[in-house]
Amino acid sequence: MMSSHGKLLLIGGTSLVAALFILPTPLFEVFSGRADAAAYVLFAVGALLLVEGLALVTLGLRNRSKDLRTARTYENREGSTSDEDRPVNPHDYPSAGRQGQVGGPL
């Protein structure tokens, strides 16, 4: 399950990449003075994607930093797998309770 700051970083990064592809050509046309209506629309969309991406990445990094600075306790820790769900390591030494079952001396 993805955390909230992970979602913000993913969406913000995707917006920044989209702005990188959309914005350069209309930006050049608008500042050179030969832009038509489509260039103005693409410039506005690219600028909005750029601002949104920067805001979401900043917010995601801030939430991630806050989450990393939070102390972990039993009340706020994330769930983990139970012992029954964990794979058994066949090369692990047997525990003290199982040494008699292995056949070794006690």
Side-chain angles (χ1 to χ4, degrees):
M1 187 164 103
M2 187 177 279
S3 61
S4 63
H5 61 269
K7 291 177 187 175
L8 288 173
L9 289 172
L10 179 68
I11 294 170
T14 305
S15 296
L16 287 175
V17 169
L20 179 70
F21 284 110
I22 292 174
L23 195 57
T25 304
L27 182 68
F28 176 74
E29 289 180 5
V30 167
F31 285 120
S32 67
R34 53 187 178 93
D36 56 350
Y40 282 116
V41 170
L42 284 176
F43 176 73
V45 168
L48 287 174
L49 282 173
L50 181 67
V51 170
E52 174 202 11
L54 289 174
L56 289 178
V57 166
T58 303
L59 189 61
L61 289 174
R62 184 175 174 206
N63 285 350
R64 179 178 174 261
S65 174
K66 186 173 76 172
D67 185 45
L68 289 175
R69 285 184 277 128
T70 304
R72 297 288 177 235
T73 63
Y74 283 109
E75 288 80 25
N76 66 3
R77 70 181 178 136
E78 294 183 15
S80 61
T81 59
S82 63
D83 288 337
E84 293 83 26
D85 294 340
R86 293 184 182 155
V88 177
N89 183 0
H91 305 290
D92 195 15
Y93 288 111
S95 63
R98 292 190 313 157
Q99 284 184 357
Q101 299 171 357
V102 174
L106 292 177

Coordinates of all heavy atoms in Angstrom, one line a residue:
M1 N 0.8 -1.2 0.0 CA 0.0 0.0 0.0 C 0.9 1.2 0.0 O 1.8 1.3 0.8 CB -0.9 0.0 1.2 CG -1.9 1.1 1.2 SD -3.2 0.7 2.4 CE -2.8 1.8 3.7
M2 N 0.6 2.2 -0.9 CA 1.4 3.4 -1.0 C 1.0 4.4 0.0 O -0.2 4.6 0.3 CB 1.3 4.0 -2.4 CG 2.2 5.1 -2.7 SD 2.1 5.7 -4.3 CE 3.1 4.5 -5.2
S3 N 2.0 5.1 0.6 CA 1.7 6.1 1.6 C 1.2 7.4 0.9 O 1.3 7.5 -0.3 CB 2.9 6.4 2.4 OG 3.9 6.9 1.6
S4 N 0.6 8.3 1.8 CA 0.1 9.5 1.2 C 1.2 10.4 0.6 O 1.0 11.0 -0.5 CB -0.6 10.3 2.3 OG 0.3 10.7 3.3
H5 N 2.4 10.4 1.2 CA 3.5 11.2 0.6 C 4.0 10.6 -0.7 O 4.4 11.3 -1.6 CB 4.6 11.5 1.6 CG 5.3 10.3 2.1 ND1 4.9 9.6 3.3 CD2 6.3 9.6 1.7 CE1 5.7 8.6 3.5 NE2 6.5 8.6 2.5
G6 N 3.9 9.3 -0.7 CA 4.3 8.6 -2.0 C 3.4 8.9 -3.1 O 3.8 9.1 -4.3
K7 N 2.1 9.0 -2.9 CA 1.1 9.4 -3.9 C 1.4 10.8 -4.3 O 1.3 11.1 -5.5 CB -0.3 9.2 -3.4 CG -0.7 7.8 -3.1 CD -2.1 7.7 -2.6 CE -2.4 6.3 -2.2 NZ -3.7 6.2 -1.5
L8 N 1.6 11.7 -3.4 CA 1.9 13.1 -3.8 C 3.1 13.2 -4.6 O 3.1 14.0 -5.6 CB 2.0 14.0 -2.5 CG 0.7 14.2 -1.7 CD1 1.1 14.9 -0.4 CD2 -0.2 15.0 -2.5
L9 N 4.2 12.5 -4.2 CA 5.4 12.6 -5.0 C 5.2 12.0 -6.4 O 5.8 12.5 -7.4 CB 6.5 11.9 -4.3 CG 7.0 12.6 -3.0 CD1 8.0 11.6 -2.3 CD2 7.7 13.9 -3.4
L10 N 4.4 10.9 -6.5 CA 4.2 10.3 -7.8 C 3.4 11.2 -8.7 O 3.8 11.4 -9.9 CB 3.5 9.0 -7.6 CG 3.2 8.2 -8.9 CD1 4.5 7.7 -9.6 CD2 2.3 7.0 -8.6
I11 N 2.3 11.8 -8.2 CA 1.5 12.7 -9.0 C 2.2 13.9 -9.4 O 2.2 14.4 -10.5 CB 0.2 13.0 -8.3 CG1 -0.7 11.7 -8.2 CG2 -0.6 14.0 -9.0 CD1 -1.9 11.8 -7.3
G12 N 3.0 14.5 -8.4 CA 3.7 15.7 -8.7 C 4.8 15.5 -9.7 O 5.1 16.3 -10.6
G13 N 5.5 14.3 -9.6 CA 6.6 14.0 -10.6 C 6.0 13.8 -12.0 O 6.6 14.2 -12.9
T14 N 4.9 13.2 -12.0 CA 4.2 13.0 -13.3 C 3.8 14.3 -13.9 O 4.0 14.5 -15.2 CB 3.0 12.0 -13.2 OG1 3.4 10.8 -12.6 CG2 2.4 11.7 -14.5
S15 N 3.3 15.2 -13.1 CA 3.0 16.5 -13.6 C 4.2 17.3 -14.1 O 4.1 18.0 -15.1 CB 2.3 17.3 -12.5 OG 1.0 16.7 -12.2
L16 N 5.3 17.2 -13.4 CA 6.5 17.9 -13.8 C 7.0 17.3 -15.2 O 7.5 18.1 -16.0 CB 7.6 17.8 -12.8 CG 7.4 18.6 -11.5 CD1 8.5 18.3 -10.5 CD2 7.4 20.1 -11.9
V17 N 6.9 16.0 -15.3 CA 7.4 15.4 -16.6 C 6.5 15.8 -17.7 O 6.9 16.2 -18.8 CB 7.4 13.9 -16.5 CG1 7.6 13.2 -17.8 CG2 8.5 13.5 -15.5
A18 N 5.1 15.9 -17.5 CA 4.2 16.3 -18.5 C 4.5 17.8 -18.9 O 4.4 18.2 -20.0 CB 2.8 16.2 -18.0
A19 N 4.8 18.6 -17.9 CA 5.1 20.0 -18.1 C 6.4 20.2 -19.0 O 6.5 21.0 -19.8 CB 5.2 20.8 -16.8
L20 N 7.3 19.3 -18.7 CA 8.6 19.3 -19.4 C 8.3 19.0 -20.9 O 9.0 19.6 -21.8 CB 9.5 18.3 -18.9 CG 10.9 18.1 -19.5 CD1 11.7 19.3 -19.2 CD2 11.6 16.9 -19.0
F21 N 7.3 18.2 -21.2 CA 7.0 17.8 -22.6 C 6.1 18.9 -23.3 O 6.2 19.1 -24.5 CB 6.4 16.4 -22.8 CG 7.4 15.3 -22.6 CD1 7.5 14.5 -21.5 CD2 8.4 15.1 -23.6 CE1 8.4 13.5 -21.4 CE2 9.3 14.1 -23.5 CZ 9.3 13.3 -22.4
I22 N 5.2 19.5 -22.5 CA 4.2 20.4 -23.1 C 4.7 21.8 -23.2 O 4.5 22.5 -24.2 CB 2.9 20.3 -22.2 CG1 2.2 19.0 -22.4 CG2 2.0 21.4 -22.6 CD1 1.0 18.8 -21.5
L23 N 5.5 22.3 -22.2 CA 5.8 23.7 -22.1 C 6.8 24.3 -23.0 O 6.6 25.5 -23.4 CB 6.2 24.0 -20.6 CG 6.2 25.4 -20.2 CD1 4.8 26.1 -20.4 CD2 6.6 25.5 -18.7
P24 N 7.9 23.7 -23.5 CA 8.9 24.4 -24.2 C 8.5 25.0 -25.5 O 8.8 26.2 -25.7 CB 10.0 23.3 -24.5 CG 9.7 22.3 -23.4 CD 8.3 22.3 -23.1
T25 N 7.8 24.3 -26.4 CA 7.4 24.9 -27.7 C 6.4 26.1 -27.5 O 6.7 27.2 -28.1 CB 6.8 23.8 -28.6 OG1 7.7 22.8 -28.7 CG2 6.5 24.4 -29.9
P26 N 5.4 26.0 -26.7 CA 4.5 27.2 -26.6 C 5.2 28.3 -25.9 O 4.9 29.5 -26.2 CB 3.3 26.7 -25.8 CG 3.3 25.2 -25.8 CD 4.7 24.8 -26.1
L27 N 6.1 28.0 -25.0 CA 6.9 29.1 -24.3 C 7.7 29.9 -25.3 O 7.7 31.1 -25.2 CB 7.7 28.4 -23.2 CG 8.6 29.3 -22.3 CD1 7.7 30.1 -21.4 CD2 9.6 28.5 -21.5
F28 N 8.3 29.2 -26.2 CA 9.1 29.8 -27.2 C 8.3 30.7 -28.1 O 8.6 31.8 -28.5 CB 9.9 28.8 -28.0 CG 10.7 29.4 -29.1 CD1 11.9 30.2 -28.9 CD2 10.3 29.3 -30.4 CE1 12.6 30.7 -29.9 CE2 11.0 29.8 -31.5 CZ 12.1 30.5 -31.2
E29 N 7.1 30.1 -28.5 CA 6.2 30.9 -29.4 C 5.6 32.1 -28.8 O 5.5 33.1 -29.4 CB 5.1 29.9 -29.9 CG 5.6 28.9 -30.9 CD 4.5 28.0 -31.4 OE1 3.3 28.3 -31.1 OE2 4.8 27.1 -32.1
V30 N 5.2 32.0 -27.5 CA 4.6 33.1 -26.8 C 5.7 34.2 -26.6 O 5.4 35.4 -26.8 CB 4.1 32.7 -25.4 CG1 3.7 33.9 -24.5 CG2 2.8 31.8 -25.6
F31 N 6.9 33.9 -26.2 CA 7.9 34.9 -26.0 C 8.5 35.5 -27.3 O 9.1 36.6 -27.3 CB 9.0 34.4 -25.0 CG 8.5 34.4 -23.6 CD1 8.5 33.2 -22.9 CD2 8.1 35.5 -23.0 CE1 8.1 33.1 -21.6 CE2 7.6 35.5 -21.7 CZ 7.7 34.3 -21.0
S32 N 8.4 34.7 -28.4 CA 8.9 35.3 -29.7 C 7.8 36.2 -30.3 O 8.1 36.9 -31.3 CB 9.3 34.1 -30.6 OG 8.1 33.4 -31.0
G33 N 6.6 36.1 -29.9 CA 5.5 37.0 -30.4 C 4.8 36.4 -31.6 O 4.0 37.1 -32.2
R34 N 4.9 35.2 -31.9 CA 4.2 34.6 -33.1 C 3.3 33.4 -32.6 O 3.2 32.4 -33.3 CB 5.1 34.2 -34.1 CG 6.2 33.3 -33.7 CD 7.2 33.0 -34.8 NE 8.3 32.2 -34.4 CZ 8.3 30.9 -34.5 NH1 7.4 30.2 -35.1 NH2 9.4 30.2 -34.0
A35 N 2.6 33.6 -31.5 CA 1.8 32.5 -30.9 C 0.4 32.7 -31.4 O -0.2 33.8 -31.5 CB 1.9 32.5 -29.4
D36 N -0.3 31.5 -31.7 CA -1.7 31.6 -32.0 C -2.5 31.1 -30.7 O -1.9 31.0 -29.6 CB -2.0 30.7 -33.2 CG -1.5 29.2 -33.0 OD1 -0.8 29.0 -32.0 OD2 -1.9 28.4 -33.8
A37 N -3.8 30.9 -30.8 CA -4.6 30.6 -29.7 C -4.2 29.2 -29.1 O -4.2 29.1 -27.8 CB -6.1 30.6 -30.1
A38 N -3.9 28.3 -29.9 CA -3.5 26.9 -29.4 C -2.2 27.0 -28.6 O -2.0 26.3 -27.6 CB -3.3 26.0 -30.5
A39 N -1.3 27.9 -29.0 CA 0.0 28.0 -28.3 C -0.3 28.6 -26.9 O 0.3 28.3 -25.9 CB 1.0 28.9 -29.0
Y40 N -1.2 29.6 -26.8 CA -1.6 30.2 -25.5 C -2.2 29.2 -24.6 O -1.9 29.2 -23.4 CB -2.5 31.4 -25.7 CG -1.7 32.7 -26.2 CD1 -2.0 33.2 -27.4 CD2 -0.8 33.3 -25.3 CE1 -1.3 34.4 -27.8 CE2 -0.1 34.4 -25.7 CZ -0.4 34.9 -27.0 OH 0.3 36.1 -27.4
V41 N -3.1 28.4 -25.2 CA -3.7 27.3 -24.3 C -2.7 26.3 -23.8 O -2.7 26.0 -22.6 CB -4.8 26.6 -25.2 CG1 -5.3 25.4 -24.4 CG2 -6.0 27.6 -25.4
L42 N -1.8 25.8 -24.7 CA -0.8 24.9 -24.3 C 0.2 25.5 -23.3 O 0.7 24.9 -22.4 CB 0.0 24.4 -25.5 CG -0.7 23.3 -26.3 CD1 0.1 23.0 -27.6 CD2 -1.0 22.1 -25.5
F43 N 0.5 26.8 -23.5 CA 1.3 27.6 -22.5 C 0.7 27.6 -21.1 O 1.3 27.3 -20.1 CB 1.6 29.0 -23.0 CG 2.4 29.8 -22.0 CD1 3.7 29.6 -21.8 CD2 1.8 30.8 -21.3 CE1 4.5 30.3 -20.9 CE2 2.5 31.6 -20.4 CZ 3.9 31.3 -20.2
A44 N -0.6 27.9 -21.1 CA -1.4 27.9 -19.8 C -1.4 26.5 -19.2 O -1.2 26.4 -18.0 CB -2.8 28.5 -20.1
V45 N -1.7 25.5 -20.0 CA -1.7 24.1 -19.4 C -0.4 23.7 -18.9 O -0.2 23.1 -17.8 CB -2.2 23.1 -20.5 CG1 -2.0 21.7 -20.1 CG2 -3.7 23.4 -20.8
G46 N 0.7 24.0 -19.6 CA 2.0 23.7 -19.2 C 2.4 24.4 -17.9 O 3.0 23.8 -17.0
A47 N 2.1 25.7 -17.9 CA 2.4 26.5 -16.7 C 1.6 26.0 -15.5 O 2.2 25.8 -14.3 CB 2.1 27.9 -16.9
L48 N 0.4 25.6 -15.6 CA -0.4 25.0 -14.5 C 0.2 23.7 -14.1 O 0.2 23.4 -12.9 CB -1.9 24.9 -14.9 CG -2.7 26.2 -15.0 CD1 -4.1 25.9 -15.5 CD2 -2.8 26.8 -13.6
L49 N 0.6 22.8 -15.0 CA 1.2 21.6 -14.7 C 2.5 21.8 -13.9 O 2.8 21.0 -13.0 CB 1.4 20.7 -15.9 CG 0.2 20.0 -16.5 CD1 0.6 19.4 -17.8 CD2 -0.3 19.0 -15.6
L50 N 3.3 22.8 -14.3 CA 4.5 23.1 -13.7 C 4.3 23.5 -12.2 O 4.9 23.0 -11.3 CB 5.3 24.1 -14.4 CG 6.6 24.5 -13.9 CD1 7.6 23.3 -14.0 CD2 7.2 25.7 -14.6
V51 N 3.3 24.4 -12.0 CA 3.0 24.9 -10.7 C 2.5 23.8 -9.8 O 2.8 23.6 -8.7 CB 2.1 26.1 -10.7 CG1 1.6 26.5 -9.4 CG2 2.8 27.3 -11.4
E52 N 1.5 23.0 -10.4 CA 0.9 21.9 -9.6 C 2.0 20.9 -9.3 O 2.0 20.4 -8.1 CB -0.1 21.2 -10.5 CG -0.7 20.0 -9.8 CD -1.3 19.0 -10.8 OE1 -1.2 19.2 -12.0 OE2 -2.0 18.1 -10.3
G53 N 2.9 20.5 -10.2 CA 3.9 19.5 -9.9 C 4.9 20.0 -8.8 O 5.2 19.2 -7.9
L54 N 5.3 21.3 -8.9 CA 6.2 21.8 -7.9 C 5.5 21.8 -6.5 O 6.1 21.4 -5.5 CB 6.6 23.2 -8.3 CG 7.6 23.3 -9.4 CD1 7.9 24.7 -9.8 CD2 8.9 22.5 -9.1
A55 N 4.2 22.2 -6.5 CA 3.5 22.2 -5.2 C 3.3 20.8 -4.6 O 3.5 20.6 -3.4 CB 2.1 22.9 -5.4
L56 N 3.0 19.8 -5.4 CA 2.8 18.5 -4.9 C 4.1 17.8 -4.5 O 4.1 17.1 -3.5 CB 2.0 17.6 -6.0 CG 0.6 18.0 -6.2 CD1 0.0 17.1 -7.3 CD2 -0.2 17.8 -4.9
V57 N 5.1 18.1 -5.2 CA 6.4 17.5 -4.8 C 6.9 18.1 -3.5 O 7.4 17.4 -2.6 CB 7.5 17.6 -6.0 CG1 8.9 17.4 -5.5 CG2 7.1 16.7 -7.1
T58 N 6.7 19.4 -3.4 CA 7.1 20.1 -2.2 C 6.3 19.6 -1.0 O 6.8 19.3 0.1 CB 6.9 21.6 -2.3 OG1 7.7 22.1 -3.4 CG2 7.4 22.3 -1.1
L59 N 5.0 19.4 -1.2 CA 4.1 18.9 -0.1 C 4.4 17.5 0.2 O 4.5 17.1 1.4 CB 2.6 19.1 -0.5 CG 1.6 18.8 0.5 CD1 1.7 19.8 1.7 CD2 0.2 18.9 -0.1
G60 N 4.7 16.7 -0.8 CA 5.1 15.3 -0.6 C 6.4 15.1 0.2 O 6.5 14.3 1.1
L61 N 7.4 15.9 -0.2 CA 8.6 15.9 0.6 C 8.5 16.4 2.0 O 9.1 15.8 2.9 CB 9.7 16.7 -0.2 CG 10.2 16.1 -1.5 CD1 11.1 17.1 -2.2 CD2 10.9 14.8 -1.2
R62 N 7.6 17.4 2.2 CA 7.4 17.9 3.5 C 6.7 16.8 4.4 O 7.1 16.6 5.6 CB 6.5 19.1 3.5 CG 6.3 19.8 4.8 CD 5.6 21.1 4.6 NE 5.3 21.6 5.9 CZ 4.3 22.4 6.1 NH1 3.5 22.8 5.2 NH2 4.0 22.8 7.4
N63 N 5.7 16.1 3.8 CA 5.0 15.1 4.6 C 5.9 13.9 4.8 O 5.8 13.3 5.9 CB 3.8 14.6 3.8 CG 2.6 15.6 3.9 OD1 2.7 16.5 4.6 ND2 1.6 15.4 3.1
R64 N 6.8 13.6 3.9 CA 7.7 12.5 4.1 C 8.7 12.8 5.2 O 9.0 12.0 6.0 CB 8.5 12.2 2.8 CG 9.5 11.1 2.9 CD 10.1 10.9 1.5 NE 11.2 9.9 1.7 CZ 12.5 10.2 1.8 NH1 12.8 11.5 1.7 NH2 13.4 9.3 1.9
S65 N 9.2 14.0 5.2 CA 10.1 14.5 6.3 C 9.4 14.4 7.6 O 10.0 14.0 8.6 CB 10.6 15.9 6.0 OG 11.4 16.3 7.0
K66 N 8.2 14.8 7.7 CA 7.5 14.8 8.9 C 7.2 13.4 9.4 O 7.4 13.1 10.6 CB 6.1 15.5 8.8 CG 5.3 15.7 10.1 CD 4.1 16.5 9.9 CE 3.0 15.7 9.2 NZ 1.7 16.4 9.2
D67 N 6.9 12.5 8.4 CA 6.7 11.1 8.8 C 8.0 10.4 9.3 O 8.0 9.6 10.2 CB 6.2 10.3 7.6 CG 5.8 8.9 7.9 OD1 5.2 8.7 8.9 OD2 6.2 8.0 7.1
L68 N 9.1 10.8 8.7 CA 10.4 10.2 9.1 C 10.9 10.7 10.4 O 11.6 10.0 11.1 CB 11.5 10.5 8.0 CG 11.3 9.7 6.7 CD1 12.4 10.2 5.7 CD2 11.4 8.2 6.9
R69 N 10.4 11.9 10.8 CA 10.8 12.4 12.1 C 9.9 12.0 13.3 O 10.2 12.2 14.4 CB 10.8 14.0 12.1 CG 12.0 14.5 11.3 CD 12.0 16.0 11.4 NE 11.1 16.5 10.3 CZ 10.1 17.4 10.6 NH1 9.9 17.9 11.7 NH2 9.3 17.8 9.6
T70 N 8.8 11.2 12.9 CA 7.9 10.8 14.0 C 8.4 9.5 14.6 O 8.8 8.6 13.9 CB 6.5 10.5 13.3 OG1 6.1 11.7 12.7 CG2 5.5 10.0 14.3
A71 N 8.4 9.5 15.9 CA 8.9 8.3 16.6 C 7.9 7.1 16.4 O 6.7 7.4 16.4 CB 9.0 8.6 18.1
R72 N 8.3 5.9 16.3 CA 7.5 4.8 16.1 C 7.1 4.1 17.5 O 8.0 3.9 18.3 CB 8.1 3.7 15.2 CG 8.4 4.2 13.8 CD 7.1 4.3 13.1 NE 7.4 4.9 11.7 CZ 6.8 5.9 11.3 NH1 5.9 6.6 12.0 NH2 7.0 6.4 10.1
T73 N 5.9 3.8 17.7 CA 5.4 3.1 18.8 C 4.6 2.0 18.4 O 4.3 1.8 17.2 CB 4.6 4.0 19.8 OG1 3.4 4.4 19.1 CG2 5.4 5.2 20.2
Y74 N 4.1 1.1 19.3 CA 3.3 0.0 19.0 C 1.9 0.5 18.5 O 1.2 -0.1 17.7 CB 3.1 -0.9 20.1 CG 4.3 -1.8 20.3 CD1 5.1 -1.6 21.4 CD2 4.6 -2.8 19.4 CE1 6.3 -2.4 21.6 CE2 5.7 -3.6 19.6 CZ 6.5 -3.4 20.7 OH 7.6 -4.2 20.8
E75 N 1.5 1.7 18.9 CA 0.2 2.2 18.5 C 0.2 2.8 17.1 O -0.8 2.6 16.4 CB -0.3 3.3 19.5 CG -0.7 2.8 20.8 CD 0.5 2.6 21.7 OE1 1.5 3.2 21.5 OE2 0.3 1.7 22.6
N76 N 1.3 3.3 16.6 CA 1.3 3.9 15.3 C 2.1 3.2 14.3 O 2.3 3.7 13.2 CB 1.7 5.4 15.4 CG 3.1 5.6 15.8 OD1 3.9 4.6 16.0 ND2 3.5 6.8 16.0
R77 N 2.6 2.0 14.6 CA 3.4 1.3 13.6 C 2.5 0.7 12.5 O 1.3 0.4 12.8 CB 4.2 0.2 14.3 CG 3.4 -0.9 14.8 CD 4.3 -2.0 15.5 NE 3.4 -3.0 16.0 CZ 3.7 -4.3 15.9 NH1 4.8 -4.7 15.3 NH2 2.9 -5.2 16.3
E78 N 3.1 0.4 11.4 CA 2.3 -0.2 10.3 C 2.2 -1.7 10.5 O 3.1 -2.3 11.2 CB 2.9 0.1 9.0 CG 2.9 1.6 8.6 CD 3.4 1.9 7.2 OE1 3.6 0.9 6.5 OE2 3.7 3.0 6.9
G79 N 1.2 -2.3 10.0 CA 1.0 -3.7 10.2 C 2.1 -4.5 9.6 O 2.7 -4.1 8.5
S80 N 2.5 -5.7 10.1 CA 3.5 -6.5 9.6 C 2.9 -7.9 9.5 O 1.8 -8.2 10.0 CB 4.7 -6.6 10.5 OG 4.4 -7.1 11.7
T81 N 3.6 -8.8 8.8 CA 3.1 -10.1 8.6 C 3.2 -10.9 9.9 O 4.1 -10.7 10.7 CB 3.8 -10.9 7.5 OG1 5.2 -10.9 7.8 CG2 3.7 -10.2 6.2
S82 N 2.3 -11.8 10.1 CA 2.4 -12.7 11.3 C 3.5 -13.7 11.1 O 4.0 -14.0 10.0 CB 1.1 -13.3 11.6 OG 0.7 -14.2 10.5
D83 N 3.9 -14.4 12.2 CA 4.9 -15.4 12.1 C 4.5 -16.6 11.2 O 5.4 -17.2 10.5 CB 5.2 -16.0 13.5 CG 6.0 -14.9 14.3 OD1 6.6 -14.1 13.7 OD2 5.9 -15.0 15.5
E84 N 3.2 -16.9 11.1 CA 2.8 -18.0 10.2 C 3.0 -17.7 8.8 O 3.1 -18.6 7.9 CB 1.3 -18.3 10.5 CG 1.1 -18.9 11.9 CD 0.9 -17.8 13.0 OE1 0.6 -16.7 12.6 OE2 1.3 -18.1 14.1
D85 N 2.9 -16.4 8.4 CA 3.0 -16.0 7.0 C 4.4 -15.8 6.5 O 4.7 -15.8 5.3 CB 2.3 -14.7 6.8 CG 0.8 -14.8 7.0 OD1 0.3 -15.9 6.9 OD2 0.1 -13.8 7.2
R86 N 5.4 -15.8 7.4 CA 6.8 -15.6 7.1 C 7.4 -16.9 6.5 O 7.1 -18.0 7.0 CB 7.6 -15.1 8.2 CG 7.2 -13.7 8.7 CD 8.0 -13.3 9.8 NE 7.6 -11.9 10.2 CZ 7.8 -11.5 11.4 NH1 8.4 -12.1 12.3 NH2 7.3 -10.3 11.7
P87 N 8.2 -16.7 5.5 CA 8.9 -18.0 5.0 C 9.9 -18.5 6.0 O 10.5 -17.8 6.7 CB 9.5 -17.5 3.7 CG 9.7 -16.0 3.9 CD 8.6 -15.6 4.7
V88 N 10.1 -19.8 5.9 CA 11.0 -20.5 6.8 C 12.4 -20.5 6.1 O 12.5 -20.9 5.0 CB 10.5 -21.9 7.2 CG1 11.5 -22.6 8.1 CG2 9.2 -21.8 7.9
N89 N 13.4 -20.1 6.8 CA 14.8 -20.2 6.3 C 15.3 -21.6 6.6 O 15.5 -22.0 7.7 CB 15.6 -19.1 7.0 CG 17.0 -19.1 6.4 OD1 17.4 -19.9 5.5 ND2 17.9 -18.2 6.9
P90 N 15.5 -22.5 5.6 CA 16.0 -23.8 5.8 C 17.4 -23.9 6.4 O 17.9 -24.9 6.9 CB 15.9 -24.5 4.5 CG 15.9 -23.4 3.5 CD 15.3 -22.2 4.2
H91 N 18.2 -22.8 6.2 CA 19.6 -22.8 6.6 C 19.8 -22.1 8.0 O 20.9 -22.0 8.5 CB 20.4 -22.0 5.6 CG 20.3 -22.6 4.2 ND1 20.8 -23.8 3.8 CD2 19.7 -22.1 3.1 CE1 20.5 -24.0 2.6 NE2 19.8 -23.0 2.1
D92 N 18.7 -21.7 8.6 CA 18.8 -21.1 9.9 C 19.0 -22.1 11.0 O 18.6 -23.3 10.9 CB 17.5 -20.3 10.2 CG 17.6 -19.4 11.3 OD1 18.7 -19.0 11.7 OD2 16.5 -18.9 11.8
Y93 N 19.8 -21.7 12.0 CA 20.0 -22.6 13.2 C 18.7 -22.8 13.9 O 17.9 -21.9 14.0 CB 21.0 -22.0 14.1 CG 22.4 -22.1 13.6 CD1 23.0 -20.9 13.3 CD2 23.1 -23.2 13.4 CE1 24.3 -20.9 12.8 CE2 24.4 -23.3 12.9 CZ 25.0 -22.1 12.6 OH 26.3 -22.1 12.1
P94 N 18.4 -24.0 14.4 CA 17.2 -24.3 15.1 C 17.2 -23.5 16.4 O 18.2 -23.3 17.0 CB 17.2 -25.8 15.3 CG 18.6 -26.2 15.2 CD 19.2 -25.2 14.3
S95 N 16.0 -23.1 16.9 CA 15.9 -22.4 18.2 C 16.1 -23.4 19.3 O 16.1 -24.6 19.1 CB 14.5 -21.8 18.3 OG 13.5 -22.7 18.3
A96 N 16.2 -22.9 20.5 CA 16.5 -23.7 21.7 C 15.4 -24.7 21.9 O 15.6 -25.8 22.4 CB 16.7 -22.9 22.9
G97 N 14.2 -24.3 21.6 CA 13.0 -25.2 21.8 C 12.9 -26.4 20.8 O 12.3 -27.4 21.1
R98 N 13.6 -26.2 19.7 CA 13.5 -27.2 18.6 C 14.8 -28.1 18.5 O 14.9 -28.9 17.7 CB 13.2 -26.6 17.3 CG 11.9 -26.0 17.2 CD 11.6 -25.5 15.8 NE 12.7 -24.8 15.2 CZ 12.8 -24.7 13.9 NH1 12.0 -25.3 13.0 NH2 13.9 -24.0 13.4
Q99 N 15.7 -27.8 19.3 CA 17.0 -28.6 19.2 C 16.8 -30.1 19.5 O 17.5 -30.9 18.9 CB 18.1 -28.0 20.1 CG 18.7 -26.7 19.5 CD 19.8 -26.2 20.4 OE1 20.1 -26.8 21.4 NE2 20.4 -25.1 19.9
G100 N 15.9 -30.4 20.4 CA 15.7 -31.8 20.7 C 15.0 -32.5 19.6 O 15.2 -33.7 19.3
Q101 N 14.2 -31.8 18.8 CA 13.5 -32.4 17.6 C 14.5 -32.6 16.5 O 14.3 -33.5 15.7 CB 12.4 -31.5 17.1 CG 11.4 -31.2 18.2 CD 10.4 -30.1 17.7 OE1 10.5 -29.5 16.7 NE2 9.4 -29.9 18.5
V102 N 15.6 -31.9 16.4 CA 16.5 -32.0 15.3 C 17.4 -33.3 15.5 O 17.8 -33.9 14.6 CB 17.4 -30.8 15.2 CG1 18.5 -30.9 14.2 CG2 16.6 -29.6 14.9
G103 N 17.6 -33.6 16.8 CA 18.3 -34.8 17.1 C 19.7 -34.5 17.7 O 20.4 -35.4 18.0
G104 N 20.0 -33.3 17.9 CA 21.2 -32.9 18.5 C 21.2 -33.1 20.0 O 20.1 -33.3 20.6
P105 N 22.3 -33.0 20.7 CA 22.4 -33.2 22.1 C 21.8 -31.9 22.8 O 21.8 -30.8 22.3 CB 23.9 -33.3 22.4 CG 24.5 -32.6 21.3 CD 23.7 -32.9 20.1
L106 N 21.2 -32.1 23.9 CA 20.6 -31.0 24.7 C 21.6 -30.4 25.6 O 22.4 -30.7 26.2 CB 19.3 -31.5 25.4 CG 18.2 -31.8 24.5 CD1 17.0 -32.3 25.4 CD2 17.7 -30.6 23.7

